[in-house]
């Protein structure tokens, strides 16, 4: 069984009314249950946000690595890569900063 602590909390009138509405809507016994539910949802949201951020960073890193490899091949004269780079440029996809510098100087 979970340890529970007693705490006095002061709410604004609108928050208090929202909690009362939630008690009726979710058929909970007391305000403490609603506050605990809100806290648990917040924790879950934070974890979900962290996972989404981690996945986004990993995908961005992989994309950057792939584009850098294609850019190196482009510098070496690979024709298939040249076509992909031109398509990517036209669609506004990410490019390494070296490409942008060289493109601006030509």
């Amino acid at each position: 069984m979970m340890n529970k602590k007693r705490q006095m909390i002061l709410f604004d009138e609108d928050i208090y009314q929202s909690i009362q509405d939630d008690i009726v809507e979710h058929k909970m016994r007391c305000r403490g249950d609603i506050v605990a539910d809100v806290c648990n949802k917040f924790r879950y949201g934070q974890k979900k946000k962290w996972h989404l951020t981690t996945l986004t960073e990993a995908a961005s890193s992989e994309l950057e690595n792939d584009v850098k490899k294609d850019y190196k091949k482009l510098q070496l004269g690979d024709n298939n890569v040249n076509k992909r780079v031109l398509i990517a440029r036209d669609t506004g996809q990410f490019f390494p900063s070296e490409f942008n510098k060289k493109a601006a100087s030509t």
Side-chain angles (χ1 to χ4, degrees):
M1 187 159 144
M2 186 176 15
N3 267 343
K4 293 188 176 187
K5 305 280 183 190
R6 184 173 293 274
Q7 184 79 33
M8 181 181 284
I9 302 174
L10 300 175
F11 297 112
D12 292 336
E13 186 62 36
D14 57 333
I15 293 173
Y16 179 80
Q17 188 57 48
S18 175
I19 289 172
Q20 290 301 106
D21 294 343
D22 285 349
I23 287 173
V24 171
E25 182 181 334
H26 298 292
K27 299 176 181 158
M28 298 224 175
R29 293 181 295 142
C30 62
R31 287 180 289 284
D33 292 340
I34 294 292
V35 172
D37 187 49
V38 168
C39 290
N40 287 333
K41 286 179 182 176
F42 178 77
R43 276 194 218 123
Y44 175 75
Q46 290 296 98
K47 286 180 183 178
K48 187 176 177 182
K49 181 180 174 184
W50 179 82
H51 289 299
L52 184 59
T53 302
T54 303
L55 289 172
T56 303
E57 288 173 357
S60 295
S61 177
E62 284 299 313
L63 178 61
E64 182 179 359
N65 290 339
D66 289 346
V67 171
K68 283 182 180 180
K69 287 177 189 173
D70 283 352
Y71 179 67
K72 283 290 183 195
K73 289 179 181 177
L74 177 63
Q75 286 177 324
L76 298 173
D78 187 338
N79 230 3
N80 290 330
V81 173
N82 193 8
K83 290 176 189 173
R84 284 197 312 261
V85 168
L86 291 175
I87 291 169
R89 185 199 64 200
D90 292 342
T91 58
Q93 293 178 357
F94 173 79
F95 282 101
S97 57
E98 307 93 60
F99 180 81
N100 294 332
K101 289 176 188 171
K102 290 198 179 206
S105 67
T106 57

